[in-house]
Amino acid sequence: MTRAATAALFLILASAAAPVAAQDSLEGLTPLSSEPLQQNTSREAIQIGLSTNRVEITADFDGADLTIFGSVENIDPQVARQGRYDVVVVLEGPAREVVVRRKDRVLGMWINMASETFVNVPMSYSVATTRMPQDITDAASYKRLSLGADNLHIEPLDREGNPVTIDEFRSALRDRKAASGLFNMRVGGVEFLSQSLFRASLPLSPSVPVGTHKARAFLFKNGIFISESSDYLTIVKAGFEQTIYRFSSNHGFAYGILATALAVLTGWLGRVVFRKD
């Protein structure tokens, strides 16, 4: 066989074997699916809205209830039927500096002695829940979220002070706020109207502070925090009280003179009316 014939025979055998080799190399591979990949869009979210975003306080204001409506999006129907969704709603008042004083008995009189100053303290703090707090999630989750009056981060102005004394004054601050109705909790204040819709009712104390309040709703699923939503409420004085408040804030010196003159006039009139001849 000539050299040219040998080369031609080799080319024919190589071309015949190439498709087989290629086919063998593809064995065991899974073909790509033509269907699009499915993304997980079932993560729950919570949304809220207030029945009113402005509350006006007059002289006869003796407290009220604030209603907050909300919805849970992308719910799991089975979880909802089993009642394993929980909502905690918080209304937090404006933050200000607060001085806590302790009275001690000295020579038969109670006198303010020691004091502690705290910064960025919410002037009011109301909580509403679907059920008992311990049945919703654990204490560690409440602390991590700073959720609840006992878990608020109340920071002292003097960080170098005695930690024991600071904790004592911090506890006294919480007790005073609770006694005045400014720190409160309403268990069962959140009610599911359907699988996804809920309503919360929060009390407004007669001494509720004016300013901007922040409403926050926390969604829990099987004890695990899922989502949060917030809205704002403005509380203002109205009527004659608002006029006096603005005048005293904008014209402090003139307000002081008028207040002193009114006190003198009232005292003189009282002396004239009740004078004994």
Side-chain angles (χ1 to χ4, degrees), residues 10-92:
F10 177 77
L11 291 174
I12 294 172
L13 293 176
S15 61
V20 176
Q23 182 177 359
D24 291 341
S25 66
L26 294 177
E27 289 182 359
L29 296 180
T30 303
L32 295 176
S33 173
S34 60
E35 298 181 358
L37 295 177
Q38 299 294 327
Q39 297 182 352
N40 182 14
T41 59
S42 62
R43 179 173 174 81
E44 296 90 339
I46 189 171
Q47 301 293 335
I48 62 170
L50 279 61
S51 58
T52 178
N53 291 98
R54 181 183 176 90
V55 174
E56 296 183 348
I57 297 178
T58 58
D60 58 350
F61 180 78
D62 58 353
D65 281 344
L66 175 68
T67 302
I68 299 176
F69 297 95
S71 65
V72 180
E73 301 176 352
N74 301 322
I75 66 169
D76 184 334
Q78 183 176 357
V79 175
R81 284 194 299 269
Q82 295 174 353
R84 289 185 287 163
Y85 283 120
D86 285 290
V87 175
V88 177
V89 178
V90 174
L91 183 65
E92 185 173 335

Side-chain angles (χ1 to χ4, degrees), residues 9-261:
L9 180 60
F10 177 77
L11 291 174
I12 294 172
L13 293 176
S15 61
V20 176
Q23 182 177 359
D24 291 341
S25 66
L26 294 177
E27 289 182 359
L29 296 180
T30 303
L32 295 176
S33 173
S34 60
E35 298 181 358
L37 295 177
Q38 299 294 327
Q39 297 182 352
N40 182 14
T41 59
S42 62
R43 179 173 174 81
E44 296 90 339
I46 189 171
Q47 301 293 335
I48 62 170
L50 279 61
S51 58
T52 178
N53 291 98
R54 181 183 176 90
V55 174
E56 296 183 348
I57 297 178
T58 58
D60 58 350
F61 180 78
D62 58 353
D65 281 344
L66 175 68
T67 302
I68 299 176
F69 297 95
S71 65
V72 180
E73 301 176 352
N74 301 322
I75 66 169
D76 184 334
Q78 183 176 357
V79 175
R81 284 194 299 269
Q82 295 174 353
R84 289 185 287 163
Y85 283 120
D86 285 290
V87 175
V88 177
V89 178
V90 174
L91 183 65
E92 185 173 335
R96 297 171 188 167
E97 185 177 283
V98 175
V99 179
V100 181
R101 295 181 173 87
R102 181 177 61 198
K103 290 181 179 292
D104 292 323
R105 193 175 182 86
V106 179
L107 300 176
M109 298 180 295
W110 290 99
I111 302 176
N112 290 328
M113 300 295 290
S115 66
E116 190 71 44
T117 302
F118 296 95
V119 296
N120 297 325
V121 179
M123 299 307 294
S124 61
Y125 194 85
S126 300
V127 181
T129 64
T130 48
R131 48 183 175 161
M132 294 297 293
Q134 62 269 24
D135 295 333
I136 296 177
T137 188
D138 54 25
S141 296
Y142 286 121
K143 187 174 182 178
R144 179 173 54 86
L145 296 169
S146 297
L147 184 54
D150 293 337
N151 298 305
L152 286 175
H153 180 62
I154 301 178
E155 181 181 354
L157 181 63
D158 182 12
R159 301 183 181 180
E160 304 299 327
N162 187 341
V164 176
T165 304
I166 292 175
D167 287 341
E168 178 184 351
F169 278 90
R170 186 184 286 119
S171 177
L173 172 61
R174 291 192 176 100
D175 292 341
R176 292 299 303 168
K177 290 287 187 181
S180 61
L182 293 175
F183 280 11
N184 59 76
M185 174 176 288
R186 180 173 288 180
V187 177
V190 181
E191 177 187 5
F192 272 95
L193 305 177
S194 66
Q195 287 189 346
S196 60
L197 300 179
F198 65 87
R199 177 181 60 197
S201 178
L202 289 169
L204 297 178
S205 169
S207 56
V208 62
V210 298
T212 301
H213 297 240
K214 185 176 183 180
R216 305 166 66 192
F218 299 82
L219 175 64
F220 294 87
K221 175 183 177 182
N222 294 327
I224 300 175
F225 170 68
I226 298 296
S227 178
E228 176 186 353
S229 181
S230 62
D231 202 348
Y232 292 91
L233 170 71
T234 302
I235 297 181
V236 297
K237 292 183 179 293
F240 181 72
E241 294 79 9
Q242 176 65 1
T243 302
I244 297 297
Y245 174 78
R246 288 180 178 176
F247 182 79
S248 63
S249 299
N250 299 331
H251 309 282
F253 182 74
Y255 176 78
I257 294 178
L258 289 176
T260 303

